[in-house]
């Protein structure tokens, strides 16, 4: 049986751009799938197809046991969606925004008000409930947007880069809310550019680039693909780089790399903390002063660079901050509000 979110061979083109090129997904119930990739990789297009906002050119998808193409209205009743930009009405209060969403889902007025009050408390917005959303901070708007996606307690949630633009404190708060949802049985597909976010939240990760899934597995499985541990050393004097490289070559399982401007040397190793102590003794014996030394495990950043040849967040910056999959920023919020309404109908 397919999982709570299932896709097979999804293809979507926009003119000459092949945004999705045969995407396959399978997300078991009550788990988080992290869809990881730079801007333009196809993450948002995948979400829009799975939430019925776009029709694929080919392929099939099932969400909460419902065929996305054959029964889109039923799918919309079973899902929640939080997009890249907070899709809230700036001229309504926080309470009015949530009540409006409840009414769009055909909840009775009293039930919509009660649910709004419950969510305002849960998302620490009760004190600002009667302020217009345009007075909210970015973190508050994001929490309000997520609360709106949960008005009907959907069994399946889609979050498209939910922490984009948030400061570290608000990002951590949102992570906690997401973990509570999943602990309660919600299935979540989470797209993100932030490798740390996928590492922290996702049970499984799919790496996408140019509309294709290029790798999948748990965080540890993906990290294992890039190799094991490595020793990183920062020497104090630049003239010691060559000697330090010779030392590391004697302990490493591959060639030592050097970053001249930071005086950092890195070499893959096997042997753990015991080996690290031996490296320190050898460097000291050669009279090489070091500013820093450590034993590092691979990160998801290493995974992404290994798979694509570039860093995920760097790729986004090089794209000029362009909205995901080529959408214009100027109408991103309007599209988000439209998506909310279409999902509720």
């Amino acid at each position: 049986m397919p999982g709570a979110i299932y896709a097979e061979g999804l293809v979507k083109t926009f003119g000459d751009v092949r945004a999705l090129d045969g995407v396959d997904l399978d997300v078991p119930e009550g788990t988080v799938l992290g869809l990881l990739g730079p801007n333009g990789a196809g993450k948002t297009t995948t979400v829009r197809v799975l939430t019925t906002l776009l029709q694929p050119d080919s392929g099939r998808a099932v969400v909460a046991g419902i065929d996305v193409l054959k029964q889109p209205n039923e799918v919309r009743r079973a899902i929640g969606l939080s997009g890249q930009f907070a899709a809230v009405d700036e001229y309504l209060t926080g309470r009015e925004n949530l009540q409006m969403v409840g009414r769009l889902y055909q909840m009775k007025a009293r039930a919509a008000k009660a649910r709004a009050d419950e969510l305002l408390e849960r998302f620490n917005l009760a004190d600002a409930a009667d302020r217009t959303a345009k007075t909210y901070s970015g973190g508050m708007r994001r929490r309000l947007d997520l609360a709106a996606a949960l008005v009907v307690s959907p069994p399946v949630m889609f979050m498209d880069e939910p922490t984009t633009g948030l400061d570290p404190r608000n990002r951590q708060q949102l992570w906690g809310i997401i973990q509570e949802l999943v602990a309660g049985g919600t299935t979540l597909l989470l797209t993100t550019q932030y490798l740390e976010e996928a590492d922290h939240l996702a049970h499984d990760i799919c790496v996408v680039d140019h509309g294709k899934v290029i790798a999948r597995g748990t965080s540890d499985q993906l990290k294992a693909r890039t190799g094991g541990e490595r020793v990183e050393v920062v020497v104090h004097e630049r003239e010691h780089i060559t000697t330090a490289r010779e030392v590391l070559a004697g302990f490493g399982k591959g060639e030592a790399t050097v970053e001249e401007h930071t005086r950092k040397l890195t070499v893959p190793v096997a042997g753990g903390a015991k080996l690290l102590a031996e490296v320190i003794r050898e460097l000291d014996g050669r009279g090489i002063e070091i500013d820093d030394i450590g034993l590092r495990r691979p990160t998801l950043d290493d995974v992404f660079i290994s798979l694509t040849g570039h860093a995920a967040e760097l790729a986004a910056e090089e794209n000029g901050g362009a909205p995901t999959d080529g959408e214009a920023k100027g109408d991103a919020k309007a599209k988000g509000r439209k998506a909310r309404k279409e999902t509720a109908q």
Side-chain angles (χ1 to χ4, degrees), residues 14 87 103 124 136 148 203 216-217 237 240 248 267 280 299:
F14 298 98
R103 298 295 284 159
N124 297 318
Y136 284 16
H203 296 92
R216 70 184 71 203
E237 299 290 345
H240 287 154
L248 292 179
V267 65
I280 293 172
T299 65

Side-chain angles (χ1 to χ4, degrees), residues 92 157 311:
L92 296 180
M157 278 287 298

Side-chain angles (χ1 to χ4, degrees), residues 6 34 53 65 72 94 146 193 200 222 224 228 236 244 266 271-272 274 306 320:
Y6 177 80
L53 300 177
L146 183 53
Q193 297 175 46
H200 189 80
L222 292 178
H236 186 68
T266 305
K274 182 179 179 180
S306 172

Side-chain angles (χ1 to χ4, degrees), residues 231-235 244 247-248 251 267 269 272-296:
V231 168
E232 292 182 355
V233 177
V234 178
V235 298
V247 170
L248 292 179
F251 292 96
V267 65
V269 298
K274 182 179 179 180
L275 178 70
L276 185 62
E278 294 175 6
V279 172
I280 293 172
R281 281 196 294 269
E282 182 67 19
L283 291 170
D284 186 57
R286 298 281 195 102
I288 300 173
E289 186 179 354
I290 59 175
D291 290 341
D292 187 30
I293 187 168
L295 187 68
R296 316 290 189 215

Side-chain angles (χ1 to χ4, degrees), residues 55-79:
Q55 285 214 349
D57 299 327
S58 61
R60 62 184 292 259
V62 177
V63 174
I66 307 166
D67 191 292
V68 170
L69 296 179
K70 295 178 181 178
Q71 298 174 288
N73 290 336
E74 286 74 8
V75 170
R76 292 168 189 166
R77 296 188 185 101
I79 64 173

Side-chain angles (χ1 to χ4, degrees), residues 91-104:
Y91 296 97
L92 296 180
T93 66
R95 191 190 311 279
E96 289 168 343
N97 266 283
L98 297 184
Q99 287 180 279
M100 177 186 69
V101 172
R103 298 295 284 159
L104 285 172

Side-chain angles (χ1 to χ4, degrees), residues 205 207 215-226 300 303:
I205 295 170
V207 182
R216 70 184 71 203
T218 66
S219 177
D220 286 342
Q221 287 170 342
L222 292 178
K223 290 173 184 177
R225 292 180 56 167
T226 67
L300 282 180
V303 171

